[in-house]
Amino acid sequence: MKSSPTHPSFQPLYRQIKALLTQSLITGEWVPGAAIPSEMDLAARFGVSQGTVRKAIDELAAENIVVRRQGKGTFVATHTEEVVKLRFLRLVAADGSKELLDNRLLSCEKSKATAAIARALNIRTGSSVIEIRRLLLFSGKPLILDRIILPAALFKGVTTERIEALKGSMYRLYETQLGIRMVRAEEKLTAIGADGEVATALGLLQGTPLLSIERVSYTYGDKPMEWRLGLCLTDDHHYLNQFE
């Protein structure tokens, strides 16, 4: 674990431990929902102090990669938990009320990656991708038209039947069915007007203002795995982001 502080690739010791813990997650040593070893055991394993391990785990917890449970230990976060499964969905009712969320699959088919999608997902232009279109409904009202693109080589288990059977978060499907967990996302927000196709899907007039959310989601090791475009009606909803 020794590294010279003058070396250009030097990282603080706790960051090195964080990288080793992340590698264990990448290799599947600890699966989503499983407990990781205690700080004492990890300190012995890596030959460092418990304080160093604790600092590494603090960062992983802050990034929602692991979850601490009082009196029980530290667990790998999972998209099946209420607190985590909707962490990337930021559209909320203007009055703050809780809503029943549902989704309706419109299509799931193979296509070829455009140059822009290939750049976003770090794959070759023309590579086979799975393209999914679905509606997200809030208390029965269609508010988001989702377009999702996945590298076909990594998501072979994503089918119309499997999506409809799960009937929930796509991130939960990736995790429980394929062992792929999304740990962070980058988003770009713009304002647009609904074109004919989008207006029809959402039951709107053409040109109705929408919030466009382009998202790339990443798994462990900062590997891009999903590109998503959400076109959102925000008449009585808004995008909420909380900073800590």
Side-chain angles (χ1 to χ4, degrees):
M1 296 304 305
K2 294 182 179 179
S3 178
S4 169
T6 60
H7 193 280
S9 63
F10 169 75
Q11 285 188 320
L13 189 54
Y14 77 92
R15 284 282 174 85
Q16 296 177 48
I17 300 302
K18 178 186 175 185
L20 291 172
L21 294 173
T22 301
Q23 187 59 38
S24 290
L25 295 169
I26 293 171
T27 60
E29 180 179 351
W30 309 311
V31 299
I36 69 172
S38 69
E39 291 177 1
M40 182 181 297
D41 289 341
L42 289 172
R45 170 174 170 171
F46 297 126
V48 297
S49 70
Q50 281 184 244
T52 298
V53 170
R54 186 173 302 116
K55 197 167 182 180
I57 293 176
D58 283 345
E59 287 210 351
L60 292 173
E63 294 167 8
N64 292 302
I65 292 175
V66 299
V67 177
R68 283 195 170 100
R69 294 180 184 151
Q70 189 69 33
K72 294 183 178 179
T74 301
F75 297 77
V76 182
T78 169
H79 285 288
T80 62
E81 294 182 42
E82 289 295 323
V83 70
V84 175
K85 69 179 183 180
L86 298 177
R87 61 180 290 222
F88 296 145
L89 181 59
R90 303 288 185 174
L91 205 66
V92 298
D95 62 5
S97 62
K98 296 289 185 181
E99 297 182 281
L100 179 64
L101 303 182
D102 198 5
N103 62 78
R104 184 184 305 152
L105 181 65
L106 302 178
S107 63
C108 176
E109 44 196 29
K110 292 281 186 71
S111 62
K112 300 294 183 182
T114 64
I117 294 298
R119 283 194 301 272
L121 294 177
N122 195 25
I123 58 178
R124 291 179 182 272
T125 300
S127 295
S128 180
V129 295
I130 299 169
E131 185 164 350
I132 300 160
R133 292 178 184 272
R134 63 179 194 159
L135 281 176
L136 273 62
L137 298 90
F138 290 56
S139 297
K141 179 181 178 181
L143 287 189
I144 302 176
L145 178 61
D146 248 352
R147 180 184 174 210
I148 301 168
I149 297 181
L150 309 166
L154 300 174
F155 288 84
K156 292 178 181 177
V158 175
T159 62
T160 297
E161 294 74 23
R162 189 167 270 183
I163 294 171
E164 290 182 331
L166 188 64
K167 199 69 177 176
S169 164
M170 291 298 296
Y171 298 121
R172 181 183 175 194
L173 184 152
Y174 306 153
E175 179 184 296
T176 59
Q177 304 294 319
L178 305 175
I180 298 172
R181 180 167 189 273
M182 303 303 185
V183 297
R184 77 174 189 90
E186 294 179 356
E187 293 185 335
K188 298 177 184 177
L189 278 62
T190 54
I192 66 166
D195 63 20
E197 179 187 356
V198 176
T200 298
L202 291 174
L204 309 171
L205 293 175
Q206 192 165 336
T208 298
L210 298 173
L211 176 65
S212 170
I213 306 175
E214 181 182 352
R215 178 192 306 159
V216 177
S217 298
Y218 298 79
T219 189
Y220 301 120
D222 232 21
K223 183 176 181 179
M225 299 293 278
E226 178 204 61
W227 178 90
R228 183 182 298 221
L229 181 66
L231 303 179
C232 314
L233 180 63
T234 57
D235 284 354
D236 50 9
H237 288 72
H238 57 252
Y239 183 93
L240 177 65
N241 198 7
Q242 297 174 320
F243 299 92
E244 296 180 0

